[in-house]
């Protein structure tokens, strides 16, 4: 499966409630065994929510510098993004992803990003 196949999928909790659509993938850097090995990245989770365009343009991240009204607007829209750990994904049945935990058990993405 390619990462692009996950972007835009609808995420649903065990109760059938909508978590949002996937608008970003979060990867964790795995250090190689020795210096000759290529760096590896493992899928850590999904960023889900209602917002999407501002996130894809980078406006919800601190590194993006742009017109302040756009930055403020997109950060406000993306404040409710949730982080779904990849270990909580039970099935991927495009265009829907089912997770094991409830929506209330998920952490806001900004908390994950800051830790």
């Amino acid at each position: 499966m390619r990462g692009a196949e996950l972007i835009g999928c609808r995420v649903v909790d065990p109760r059938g409630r909508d978590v949002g659509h996937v608008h970003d993938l979060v990867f964790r850097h795995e250090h190689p065994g020795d210096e000759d090995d290529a760096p590896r990245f493992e899928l850590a989770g999904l960023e889900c929510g209602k917002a999407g365009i501002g996130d894809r343009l980078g406006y919800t991240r601190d590194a993006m510098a742009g017109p302040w009204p756009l930055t403020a607007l997109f950060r406000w829209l993306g404040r409710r993004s949730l982080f779904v750990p990849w270990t909580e994904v039970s099935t991927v049945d495009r265009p829907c992803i089912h997770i094991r935990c409830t929506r209330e058990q998920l952490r806001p993405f900004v908390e994950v990003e800051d830790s």
Side-chain angles (χ1 to χ4, degrees):
M1 171 182 297
R2 294 175 182 237
E5 295 176 30
L6 299 173
I7 301 292
C9 285
R10 183 173 159 244
V11 179
V12 179
D13 76 2
R15 297 177 183 166
R17 294 188 337 199
D18 188 42
V19 174
H21 288 83
V22 177
H23 50 90
D24 204 358
L25 306 177
V26 180
F27 290 90
R28 178 181 24 243
H29 182 254
E30 295 291 321
H31 297 285
D34 68 47
E35 294 177 20
D36 294 334
D37 290 339
R40 292 178 14 149
F41 294 89
E42 179 180 282
L43 182 60
L46 311 170
E47 182 182 0
C48 303
K50 304 289 184 207
I53 186 71
D55 191 67
R56 285 191 289 276
L57 292 173
Y59 279 100
T60 59
R61 306 287 194 278
D62 290 333
M64 182 63 176
W68 74 265
L70 287 179
T71 302
L73 173 66
F74 287 130
R75 285 189 182 165
W76 182 79
L77 289 172
R79 75 193 185 285
R80 293 190 181 161
S81 288
L82 298 171
F83 177 73
V84 177
W86 185 247
T87 56
E88 292 296 330
V89 173
S90 58
T91 59
V92 177
D93 187 21
R94 290 197 64 210
C96 195
I97 296 174
H98 297 272
I99 59 174
R100 292 180 186 92
C101 60
T102 64
R103 188 178 202 289
E104 292 79 28
Q105 293 172 312
L106 298 173
R107 292 172 46 195
F109 184 73
V110 290
E111 289 180 17
V112 174
E113 200 174 31
D114 293 339
S115 57

